[in-house]
Amino acid sequence: MQANTLSGSARNIHYHYDLTADFYKLWLDPQLVYTCAYFPTPSATLEQAQLAKMDYVCRKLQLQSGEKVIEAGCGWGALALHMAKNYGVTVRAFNISREQILFARERAKREGLTHMVDSSRTTTERIRAL
């Protein structure tokens, strides 16, 4: 059997998830959301469906301004940024992909949301810090 070591897992993560945003931009919506979409109408675009899905999740959670949320597996950061910008919550976002967390961090900076969205380290970096 192969051991699932921290360094081996990190290599696998890098190989499978640390592909550039340019690759994902070829087939995802502009926010790079890669979880299932919610099409409120048959004519909705993928971008509209992803936005509808993020709003649906936030309404289901009954998010209130000032609350704190942890998002494990934040991908490229779209939901974390959406929650902060539209629902006024502070989000601590984690991800196993360094490429994706760097993208999310840069996007939060560009949108002026770094005070509300903490995507400062990958999950692997957080585990090593323990």
Side-chain angles (χ1 to χ4, degrees):
M1 287 184 81
Q2 293 180 332
N4 187 20
T5 64
L6 188 57
S7 62
S9 294
R11 274 192 311 275
N12 290 338
I13 289 164
H14 176 72
Y15 181 77
H16 291 285
Y17 292 101
D18 281 339
L19 303 173
T20 67
D22 290 337
F23 169 71
Y24 288 95
K25 287 177 182 178
L26 293 173
W27 52 280
L28 295 177
D29 73 309
Q31 294 193 68
L32 302 179
V33 180
Y34 56 85
T35 55
C36 62
Y38 170 69
F39 286 82
T41 65
S43 63
T45 65
L46 178 58
E47 185 175 4
Q48 291 166 333
Q50 292 293 19
L51 182 60
K53 185 259 310 279
M54 290 188 289
D55 273 331
Y56 180 74
V57 167
C58 293
R59 286 192 315 273
K60 267 306 230 198
L61 292 171
Q62 299 178 5
L63 294 179
Q64 301 294 312
S65 183
E67 291 181 327
K68 295 180 181 180
V69 174
I70 294 177
E71 186 191 6
C74 70
W76 300 94
L79 181 59
L81 295 166
H82 183 81
M83 288 189 281
K85 187 185 332 181
N86 297 291
Y87 291 84
V89 299
T90 301
V91 183
R92 182 165 264 182
F94 299 89
N95 195 334
I96 59 175
S97 166
R98 182 160 178 75
E99 182 77 20
Q100 292 177 8
I101 207 75
L102 291 173
F103 183 92
R105 190 180 307 155
E106 180 56 35
R107 187 167 164 214
K109 182 178 177 183
R110 195 171 56 247
E111 295 183 22
L113 293 169
T114 54
H115 65 291
M116 296 180 77
V117 178
D118 173 15
S119 56
S120 58
R121 290 192 271 179
T122 65
T123 306
T124 305
E125 291 167 336
R126 289 182 191 275
I127 290 170
R128 285 187 179 140
L130 294 177

